Amino acid sequence: MTRPPPGASLLLLILLPTLLAGSPVGWQGTQSEERWEQESVHNTLDGTPDDPNLPVPTTQDEKERVEQFDPSRLNYTALRLEIDFDLERISKREGRLLGESHLPKFLSNIGKLLNFDQVVKEIETSIMSSMSCNACKAGVGLLQHYVQNGKTRDDIIQAASKLCLSFKIETPRVCFGIIHLMADEIVFVVEKLIMTPDEICGFVIGDICGIPYNPYHEWRVAFPPIPKPPVARPEPPPTGLPQLKVLHLSDTHFDPEYMEGSNADCNEPICCRASSGLVRGADRRAGRWGDYRKCDTPLRTIESMLENIAYLHPDIDYIIWTGDLPPHDIWNQTRESNLNIVRATVHQLVQYFPYTPIFPALGNHEAAPVNSFPPPFIVGDYGVGWLYDELDVQWRKWLPQDTSPTIRKGAFYSVLVRPGFRIISLNMNYCNNKNWWLLLNSTDPAQELQWLIYELQGAEDRQEKVHILGHIPPGHHDCLKVWSHNYYTIINRYETTITGQFFGHTHFDEFELFYDEYNRHRVTNIAYIGPSVTTYYKLNPGYRIYHVEGDYEGSRKLVTDHETWVMNLDEANRDGSPRWYQLYSAQRAYNMRNLLPQEWNHLVYKMAVEDELFQKYLRFYWKNSVAREECDSECKKRMLCDLKSGRSNDRKYTCAKITEQVEIRERNDWRSWIFSGLTITSLATWWFWG
């Protein structure tokens, strides 16, 4: 089971330093190649396998590699010399272009200790192991060595490009594009850091890498001295009363360069374009309405969806729109190209829904480079005002003028939708662990969470109900632990005020649960994660409709049901025309009495023991895609754990019980199978002998 890459920049964000890591140890002076090969394994350890600062391997193969590799023992000077001179020498000697030559022995041996294919996959899926942790530490250490030794931006770009090509991590244009696009900002940040590689990688990757204590990244928000109101017993919303109908759009990833019939299997972060190379077979041609491979959304599919929604759902009260508008061609994006996508998408929505209120949230792909969201104290060329100012202009089509100050400061806002009901939109990029600017100072960037507390306290005082919007779900691996844990505390404090949370980012159809911090068995809240419009990747395009308590006395604005609507991409490409249909209604499909958080929690535990129910959830999760992947036992445990994880990097505590339930079911299945086999054998023996 994999998640779609939140952007190939996640790969080179880590691999820009990691590419420089090259090898576990460098040659020592005049030491021979043979001696280096003999000592490369034995000279890498810096302590025992029980060293708490070393990452914990998750497989036997990883264990063997980790035991042979300790990034803190790397000879960075020797590595730098080999990277700067040896690759070029071999390339010239063999008369080949860089990237086609053989690697020096110390670089080829890295494959024995660092599995780059695995690292690439882990960065793409955000499911990290000790392998990525080691690669990160080695890469960060070497990048810091380059910076500390006065190497220029051009020196660093050249070294990273050599290794990106030599290891064939990406195509030449992707290597050069991403590295040139990100180098300035990454080097700027690294020059100002006072963190060690252990601290940096623990901060970025999370618990699997170990998180050394760092006072610069340990902080807590402050609450007003007002006690939490008593929590009433959860009661389902009444039936037969007015309801609101809400459309949720997320992750459109509109690609204006999508071309039907182009190469859909191009070995780059995005394909299905005229520039994607030769088409080697009819089965590799991009479909008319999209493609299950690494391709984004053509204009005709977006227009078909919006036209369908406007026709089938003319009674929509408002739209929530949770970001990620540009395509995944992150190696050649510019600020202006991304702004053009923002403007084009806004125009599409205004065209089809001219009189419908729309409440947007910012995704991680709107920035150029992707994931680059510096806090307000970073100004000038590196600042992000170019994006926030334009968002303020575009969002003003739906939002009141008093939201402008916070949008221009940090792309977040609070708006009173109607009396007693407020929507708060957060910029979740301030929790994004791929946002390298947070390494400088992660303490509540733009004071967003402190502002959120202020807004929620005001809402509580006025007896308003609040829905929160954002892009990256707070419990997702991509959300920083310290930010996520502070947010979790806020949700717990204001659980009676916050009656809905809505996010995107993962491209899948899922949710996250929140539990009482003092009573982990009591579920307090739920965050809905809406399906993506894009098919990236192996998905059908989709959107979500929520039914919410309407305007009447005592309305808590609870979600009473939700529906996921999809287009069968395989059918549309085969027949030539799309068909949008309701895939499921949550209440009917799961036979739920209501959609209170307690019911969702009950559903998670039912799925642990009822495999048929879990398979139904899995089909909805993939939006009924014919290209969906299989899910084994480990995958099932991970997915159910995701549903219980409203707080990131806390799985050890959050998921122990649900994991145990799945394992008990597995053991019982084996016992039943063995017992059935013995019974059949005994009956056959009895019948045969009479």
Side-chain angles (χ1 to χ4, degrees), residues 463 503 522 559 588:
Q463 296 186 330
F503 298 92
R522 189 178 75 86
V559 174
R588 291 196 302 270

Side-chain angles (χ1 to χ4, degrees), residues 385-531:
W386 63 273
L387 176 59
Y388 294 172
D389 291 350
E390 183 65 22
L391 291 179
D392 184 41
V393 172
Q394 297 298 322
W395 292 357
R396 190 69 61 80
K397 293 176 174 61
W398 310 293
L399 302 179
Q401 186 173 355
D402 61 8
T403 61
S404 181
T406 55
I407 292 174
R408 289 180 178 265
K409 177 184 179 182
F412 51 85
Y413 62 87
S414 172
V415 62
L416 188 67
V417 179
R418 54 192 71 207
F421 178 45
R422 180 172 298 274
I423 284 180
I424 295 178
S425 177
L426 297 178
N427 181 356
M428 299 299 290
N429 292 294
Y430 291 138
C431 90
N432 184 356
N433 63 3
K434 309 306 184 297
N435 180 8
W436 53 84
W437 292 101
L438 300 184
L439 289 166
L440 294 177
N441 187 349
S442 70
T443 305
D444 194 11
Q447 296 79 51
E448 181 179 32
L449 290 182
Q450 204 62 60
W451 167 86
L452 175 61
I453 290 173
Y454 174 84
E455 290 293 322
L456 291 172
Q457 186 59 56
E460 180 181 278
D461 295 342
R462 296 185 295 269
Q463 296 186 330
E464 295 171 350
K465 298 303 179 184
V466 173
H467 285 183
I468 294 178
L469 316 180
H471 182 65
I472 300 174
H476 192 267
H477 315 283
D478 289 345
C479 190
L480 286 174
K481 179 175 182 176
V482 62
W483 199 101
S484 175
H485 285 218
N486 274 281
Y487 179 83
Y488 200 89
T489 301
I490 294 171
I491 298 300
N492 269 265
R493 166 60 183 83
Y494 295 101
E495 64 174 286
T496 57
T497 298
I498 302 165
T499 57
Q501 300 179 69
F502 308 90
F503 298 92
H505 186 60
T506 72
H507 297 192
F508 294 113
D509 187 305
E510 50 185 329
F511 59 90
E512 291 178 351
L513 293 172
F514 293 68
Y515 297 84
D516 191 313
E517 291 184 296
Y518 303 101
N519 177 7
R520 286 180 175 266
H521 300 291
R522 189 178 75 86
V523 62
T524 63
N525 220 298
I526 181 172
Y528 293 103
I529 302 173

